[in-house]
Structure formats: C-alpha cells, structure tokens
Amino acid sequence: MQRRATTTISHASSPMGEHTAVPPHPATGRMEQFDRVKAFCMWCVIWGHLIQYMRSDDAFADPVFSLIYSFHMPLFLCLAGWFSGRALQLPFPSFLLQQARRLLLPVFVWCVLLIVPLALCRAPFRWEHYAHTLLWEYWFLRALFLCFVGTWLVVRLPRRWMKAAVALFLLLLTYRYYFSFAFAFFLTGLYMRPYAQSLFRSHLVRTIGVSGVVFGLLLIGWDASCTVYLTPGVTWKNLLTEPQAAPGRLLVEIYRYATGLSGSLFVMGLGNCLLLRGHAAALLQWMGRYTLGAYIMHIAFVLYTLPYLFTTDALPRPLANWIVMPVAAFLLQLLLALLQQRMERSSIVGFLLFGRRLKAR
C-alpha cells in the first residue's frame, strides 16, 4: 500500500503481536481503534469458552455462543493477515525463526509447564493424553504459524496464476488445526489491506452499513452447526473419499466465509467509528496489547481448572450466558493482562512464555 504524504505511519501490534502500519494515536503512537477491536475479540473468545465449559448443557444450542462463533475467529485471522506485511518481507530463515519464536515457542512452553500436567490430572496417566495436548492445544497459534508460512510462499510466486493456484491448493490441503478455514481469512486480511483508506476512512459509514446489513441477513440462517467445529470443509482428502458430499460442504464453506467476513468488516468499521474517551478508552486500548497472554493463559483457567471447581448450572441459562459470563470474561481478561504485564518485566520470561524478543542488556 502506497503511503500518502500527509499520513503518518507507525508499527503497532496485531492480535498476536505482529507489526502493522496504521495511523497512530498522536500521544501513544498506536492505533486505538484496532487495539480496542483486539480487546473486544479476546473478550468474545473468553466469553464463548466460559459458556462452553462452565455449563453442562449444549453450548452450541445457545444463541449468544452461536453469534460469537460466527465472526470472532475470522476477525482475529483477518487482523493477523492484515498486519503481516512486515514479517512477510523477511528472508525465509529469519522469517521462520521469528514466527517460531512468536507462535510456537509459547505453545510448547505453556503445554509442558501447565497444560500437560493439568490434562494428566484429569484421568489415570495415559500417554495419549500427553501427546494429544502437545499436538492440539492452542490450535489457533499453530494454525496461525502455518498461515504465515503458506502466505510467505504464495506472495513470492512471480505470476498471479501461480499465486492463485498455490493458494487454492493450500486452501484445500487439510483441516488439521482448521488450517483451511484459517488460511482463507488470513489471506483475505492481507489482500484487503490496500483498501484500508477506502474502507475505514473515505467510506467508513458505507462499510459499516453494508457489512452490518449483510451480516445481519446472513445470521438469519446461521446456527452453530455451520461452524468449522461441527461441519468440516472441503479438502483434497474428502474430495477423493466422499465426492458426493463436496457440493454441500462447499456451500457451507461459502456461507461460513461470507458470514465471517461481513461480521469482521462490521466490527472493524465500528472500531474505527466509536471514539471512546477517558479511562474507558485507555483501559481497552491497554488490554488490546495483551491478547496473546490472555488467549494462552485463559485456556488453563477455563478449560482445565474452573469447570472442576464450580459450574453455573444453578443459574438460569439467559442470566448465566448473557450477564454473568460476559462480566466474568471481562474480569478474567483484565486479570490476565495484568499478569502478562508483570511477567514480561523479565526479559527471559517474556521470551519463553509470550514469544517476545530478548532485550539487549
């Protein structure tokens, strides 16, 4: 994207810590709107997981859970792709080391130190529990790493038809870590970035209006069965083994993509439109800087600890899911942001647990 002479560019963090180029806040050098979008996304992730794991009834039948899962991961992935340009310019060895540090090192360290012991406590010792946790937990960060690698390869191809062919091949490659689902939105974010000026400045109101209407209309037919977790997409493997199911799966994929994209544009547009002031804006902006730690650490609390201490089954479902859970999610997110901030005071801890660069002494 070409810079205009009147636009100041700064590098701010993406949902998972990558750099981007966006107009900064004059006092902080960061984009308040996107920090708030990141904080909102992380709140939705924790809220959805609380609904899923803190009650014994079927979370996928809950309307607020279904709404959250229609857009929150697509939005995170679009933002990650949008802000990936600087990393993709690196030579491959440097690029691979950077992404392994940022995304894979924290996964391995947290799994070994915390998640694996908690998983093994749930049942008699079984090696399959250990292996499953190491290979699957934090699927989002693993998928994001694969998205970066796949995109680095695609953007370096010399011809457009080569880029399209390799991208299509990767989109149908596998649903391991929901990679095909993640890669589609990651690429969308990257190739949508040149239109930032038009989408979120010149035509901001139109972006919000059109995407909001489309998102609302698509939600009429949406339920949790449309999510990637319940309905797999099209891959080369199932094209060969179950070709008769391919048309139906493709329709679900298109519907899922359109819903996630329109919802992402709507939330990003609102993030550029809603101008909070004072302590509320400062708090959300600050929380948006610590989404990586909130994502990593809330897994241990919500999936492996809290459900074994208590549940919300005694509360009416609307009260629990619409009032108690969102408040608890916000408080937990705030607590984890504070915890990450304190832990990152040590350069070694920040490096091992959150993939930060080691600070030179």
Side-chain angles (χ1 to χ4, degrees), residues 64-132:
V64 67
F65 182 87
S66 181
L67 174 62
I68 289 171
Y69 275 68
S70 69
F71 73 89
H72 76 314
M73 278 304 163
L75 177 53
F76 255 134
L77 291 159
C78 279
L79 288 173
W82 187 293
F83 301 149
S84 65
R86 186 174 181 180
L88 295 173
Q89 296 172 9
L90 296 173
F92 190 71
S94 300
F95 165 81
L96 198 63
L97 286 174
Q98 181 195 70
Q99 300 312 313
R101 167 182 59 80
R102 292 179 53 249
L103 301 171
L104 298 186
L105 178 63
V107 166
F108 178 78
V109 173
W110 280 99
C111 281
V112 170
L113 293 181
L114 187 59
I115 301 300
V116 167
L118 288 172
L120 294 178
C121 288
R122 296 195 305 175
F125 181 86
R126 296 177 183 175
W127 280 108
E128 57 265 31
H129 289 166
Y130 183 88
H132 177 269

Side-chain angles (χ1 to χ4, degrees), residues 99-290:
Q99 300 312 313
R101 167 182 59 80
R102 292 179 53 249
L103 301 171
L104 298 186
L105 178 63
V107 166
F108 178 78
V109 173
W110 280 99
C111 281
V112 170
L113 293 181
L114 187 59
I115 301 300
V116 167
L118 288 172
L120 294 178
C121 288
R122 296 195 305 175
F125 181 86
R126 296 177 183 175
W127 280 108
E128 57 265 31
H129 289 166
Y130 183 88
H132 177 269
T133 303
L134 280 179
L135 293 174
W136 182 257
E137 207 60 82
Y138 300 123
W139 71 265
F140 178 76
L141 296 181
R142 301 170 194 265
L144 197 55
F145 175 80
L146 295 176
C147 288
F148 270 99
V149 173
T151 303
W152 190 95
L153 296 173
V154 168
V155 298
R156 271 164 174 72
L157 294 172
R159 305 293 183 185
R160 288 187 177 182
W161 68 266
M162 293 181 182
K163 296 178 188 289
V166 173
L168 177 62
F169 174 79
L170 293 175
L171 284 169
L172 301 182
L173 184 61
T174 179
Y175 252 67
R176 180 70 173 173
Y177 307 132
Y178 307 114
F179 168 70
S180 297
F181 162 80
F183 192 51
F185 288 104
F186 189 93
L187 282 179
T188 298
L190 176 65
Y191 286 104
M192 191 169 56
R193 180 176 170 177
Y195 304 99
Q197 176 71 26
S198 176
L199 287 172
F200 301 119
R201 284 179 174 266
S202 304
H203 304 292
L204 175 60
V205 174
R206 184 178 300 175
T207 297
I208 295 173
V210 173
S211 62
V213 170
V214 172
F215 183 49
L217 291 174
L218 290 172
L219 285 178
I220 294 174
W222 179 268
D223 59 45
S225 66
C226 301
T227 64
V228 69
Y229 311 103
L230 296 184
T231 304
V234 180
T235 64
W236 297 117
K237 180 179 179 180
N238 62 40
L239 275 174
L240 294 174
T241 58
E242 302 175 286
Q244 71 282 358
R249 285 175 172 165
L250 181 59
L251 288 176
V252 172
E253 287 259 62
I254 294 172
Y255 177 49
R256 186 158 55 208
Y257 175 81
T259 305
L261 177 59
S262 59
S264 298
L265 285 171
F266 180 61
V267 175
M268 291 172 72
L270 288 179
N272 281 271
C273 181
L274 299 177
L275 302 177
L276 299 178
R277 293 289 185 267
H279 296 298
L283 178 62
L284 290 179
Q285 182 185 356
W286 173 79
M287 291 172 65
R289 302 181 185 184
Y290 295 100

